[in-house]
Amino acid sequence: MILSMVNRKYVESLGHTVVQSVRTGIAAIEAAKKHNPDIILMDIRIEGEMDGIEAMEEIRKFSNAGVIYLTGNSEPATKARAEQTSMLAFCIKPISLDDLKTVLDPLK
């Protein structure tokens, strides 16, 4: 929860608007339908039965939003799964403001 708040502050300080923060894959899918975001910061390890990559696979059925994955898992198999969702970036936690700036600045 604390990391989520820090990431929100980082994103906002870089000039982006956070429309919603959620904790589960189902909630992420619903939020993407409701808000139609340009960019999604998705943790791979989330609450519920699906992980962040599975949630993005569902979101991809109706959205082309850019996705930046945040994860503590640097295994090649996990990154390969994430790449199947046309990700913008795969960031290993903890991330810094500079890490997010590097990914988000070109998207402005």
Side-chain angles (χ1 to χ4, degrees):
M1 187 63 145
I2 291 173
L3 286 176
S4 176
M5 290 171 30
V6 169
N7 291 337
R8 179 185 197 106
K9 291 286 186 194
Y10 284 171
V11 169
E12 291 173 342
S13 74
L14 294 171
H16 297 273
T17 302
V18 176
V19 294
Q20 190 170 354
S21 295
V22 299
R23 299 173 82 110
T24 69
I26 297 295
I29 295 163
E30 291 171 0
K33 285 180 181 174
K34 179 179 179 183
H35 298 289
N36 192 27
D38 297 322
I39 302 167
I40 297 172
L41 258 63
M42 179 69 79
D43 199 322
I44 291 178
R45 199 167 180 192
I46 54 178
E47 294 178 15
E49 294 186 14
M50 67 175 66
D51 68 14
I53 297 170
E54 291 167 323
M56 275 311 301
E57 289 169 345
E58 291 302 310
I59 292 168
R60 281 285 172 252
K61 293 177 181 176
F62 61 86
S63 173
N64 290 322
V67 60
I68 300 167
Y69 286 106
L70 309 176
T71 183
N73 181 347
S74 61
E75 292 179 13
T78 301
K79 187 172 184 180
R81 281 183 57 225
E83 288 172 343
Q84 297 301 308
T85 64
S86 302
M87 67 182 188
L88 296 174
F90 188 85
C91 301
I92 305 300
K93 295 190 288 186
I95 61 169
S96 68
L97 179 59
D98 287 337
D99 294 334
L100 268 182
K101 184 175 177 34
T102 299
V103 175
L104 292 175
D105 272 0
L107 303 175
K108 284 185 177 179

